[in-house]
Amino acid sequence: MRAGNEFVEQVQRVQDAGATRVVVVTVPDIGRNTPLGDDSSPAGAAGITALVDAYNGTVAAGVLDKNVTFVTSDRLLTDVLDRPEAYGFSPNDAFGAGNSQRNQRACTVESSLQCIAGVNTQNDGLVRVFADDVHPTTRAQRVFGEAATGIFENVTQVGAVSVATLGGIRQGAIGLENRLNLGAIYVTDEATGESVPRPVGAFEVYGGGELGTFSTDDQQVLPGFDADVQVVKVAFDVPVAPKVVLGGGISLDHAQTEFNGNRGGFDSRLIIGALFGVAEVYRGVYVNGSVAYGDIDVDNTRKINFTDGLTQSYEADTGGRYFSGKVGVGAMVPLGGGFLVNPSVGFTHETVEIDGFDERFGFAQPLAREFDDTEITANRLTVGLSGFYRPPANEKLIFGVRASYEYDLNDDDLVVGSREAQSGQAFGTQTAPRPDRDFFFLSGNATYEITEHGSLTLGASTVLGLDDVSGYTASLIYKHRF
């Protein structure tokens, strides 16, 4: 169809001019859902519907590979006409027997182009969907605009599930970073006060909890969000050879994330298992490594807000996986007076995968959608510097601080694909913002030996250098040496 092909060409021209986020909205079923179709004979209405279907089919096929957000308008229009009062329009029964919003026009002239509110419009106080035979009123156009905007934002929100999950895991892993050094290999001899290697087979078990809060401001089409995180973790390590320590641990993470502007959010639960090790390869110099795998469970809610307080909510459950592998090298250098510094470098590979999901629940949802799998992968370089201080007057107390510069080698877009849930019509793909490539972590802790074999560590951390992003955690860990 010529008109459809011309529209596809126009989409291409817009993208060639530099547009990266394009929304394509279909023509609704004029034969079934307009005053023109209502006034037509059954054959005439069917013919109009066939023309619309041909046009929409041409457009859908033409933009399928053009990275646009594709919105089918007729499902929303049908819902508006079936229950207009939910969208701020007059109910169908207000127009009398045999009438409904489908055959009502707000203008008293033939074309809305000559229609002026309060001059040549209906004055019965009723709020109509259509201005003339086929064109919606300004109010109805606003409903469609709010729906398209909501869909556009919602796609990036789905991408934010994997991004936010990765950010929380990264900051929660700082505690392990503080363990993967010579502090895991050496202990203080109670008799001499000297640092000595832990005996082979001498287990240390530690566990505790962590609370975190994260927030972002609105970024382009991605609404900002606030998240609260609760973590319970337990781990152990043991020297398996002189100056070689291996260990493992498990953490249970629960996060509640809410997007700004009542746009929905998601609850996520993670179970992450890790194996790690550290070995001294030369006096004061060590290598370390770790691998982690996690199972992710997500309850996602997205909301589209319309004028007059109407909010449509779409919910779905999905799952996912997390994987990371890390290697590093560092050194611990005593400075005297109880001070010690610990420079280190490391490389981390990490991936978060979120499975696709379907929002249908067996009842009419005009904007319900299916989402494809999303994945974010990062290969990250870390340059860190830690410092420790044990007061000579109180050797049961140790203070630590760590700062690290993080650089993500990846800069590929996070791609989110979706389609209309009811028909399976593809919406195309859309990119969602990924975290800034470079940022900083800053953490501090204080450890007190409460018994000969037990200690408590109070820690805190924050992320710096991410545009419009903040994150803070606090933790309490108990360690017992056998």
Side-chain angles (χ1 to χ4, degrees), residues 341-365:
V341 295
N342 175 202
S344 61
V345 295
F347 172 80
T348 304
H349 170 83
E350 50 200 351
T351 299
V352 172
E353 301 173 350
I354 302 297
D355 297 333
F357 55 89
D358 185 342
E359 295 175 328
R360 288 175 294 182
F361 285 93
F363 56 90
Q365 293 181 297

Side-chain angles (χ1 to χ4, degrees), residues 38 81 91-93 95-105:
D38 191 79
L81 294 173
N92 285 318
D93 58 12
F95 300 102
N99 294 310
S100 69
Q101 287 281 4
R102 281 181 170 81
N103 62 15
Q104 293 296 305
R105 304 163 181 82

Side-chain angles (χ1 to χ4, degrees), residues 246-418:
L246 297 180
I250 188 170
S251 70
L252 307 177
D253 303 27
H254 187 201
Q256 306 85 40
T257 303
E258 293 292 332
F259 289 102
N260 297 344
N262 191 36
R263 293 182 175 95
F266 59 93
D267 282 4
S268 58
R269 292 162 296 279
L270 294 80
I271 301 177
I272 300 176
L275 298 174
F276 53 87
V278 57
E280 186 176 32
V281 294
Y282 186 75
R283 179 61 180 173
V285 180
Y286 63 87
V287 295
N288 61 32
S290 65
V291 293
Y293 177 84
D295 183 74
I296 306 170
D297 182 55
V298 179
D299 298 331
N300 187 69
T301 300
R302 65 180 185 92
K303 295 181 179 180
I304 298 179
N305 300 308
F306 296 92
T307 304
D308 300 322
L310 172 67
T311 297
Q312 290 187 358
S313 297
Y314 298 87
E315 300 179 352
D317 300 336
T318 188
R321 290 150 300 282
Y322 164 77
F323 172 79
S324 73
K326 177 188 178 299
V327 293
V329 60
M332 301 191 81
V333 183
L335 301 179
F339 288 95
L340 183 149
V341 295
N342 175 202
S344 61
V345 295
F347 172 80
T348 304
H349 170 83
E350 50 200 351
T351 299
V352 172
E353 301 173 350
I354 302 297
D355 297 333
F357 55 89
D358 185 342
E359 295 175 328
R360 288 175 294 182
F361 285 93
F363 56 90
Q365 293 181 297
L367 301 176
R369 302 162 71 188
E370 297 175 8
F371 290 92
D372 294 338
D373 299 347
T374 58
E375 177 181 318
I376 181 169
T377 296
N379 294 291
R380 180 163 48 99
L381 295 177
T382 299
V383 178
L385 180 63
S386 301
F388 301 93
Y389 174 63
R390 183 191 293 268
N394 188 354
E395 294 191 351
K396 293 181 178 291
L397 186 62
I398 302 175
F399 297 99
V401 63
R402 181 179 187 272
S404 66
Y405 171 72
E406 313 285 337
Y407 184 76
D408 187 352
L409 299 174
N410 298 71
D411 63 354
D412 50 311
D413 293 328
L414 177 60
V415 178
V416 182
S418 63

Side-chain angles (χ1 to χ4, degrees), residues 1-48:
M1 174 177 281
R2 179 179 177 182
N5 288 325
E6 289 177 347
F7 181 84
V8 172
E9 292 172 359
Q10 181 63 23
V11 171
Q12 187 62 59
R13 281 193 290 271
V14 169
Q15 292 183 323
D16 290 343
T20 58
R21 303 180 186 278
V22 178
V23 179
V24 173
V25 182
T26 63
V27 174
D29 189 346
I30 298 175
R32 185 173 65 90
N33 279 335
T34 64
L36 175 63
D38 191 79
D39 289 345
S40 300
S41 66
I48 295 172

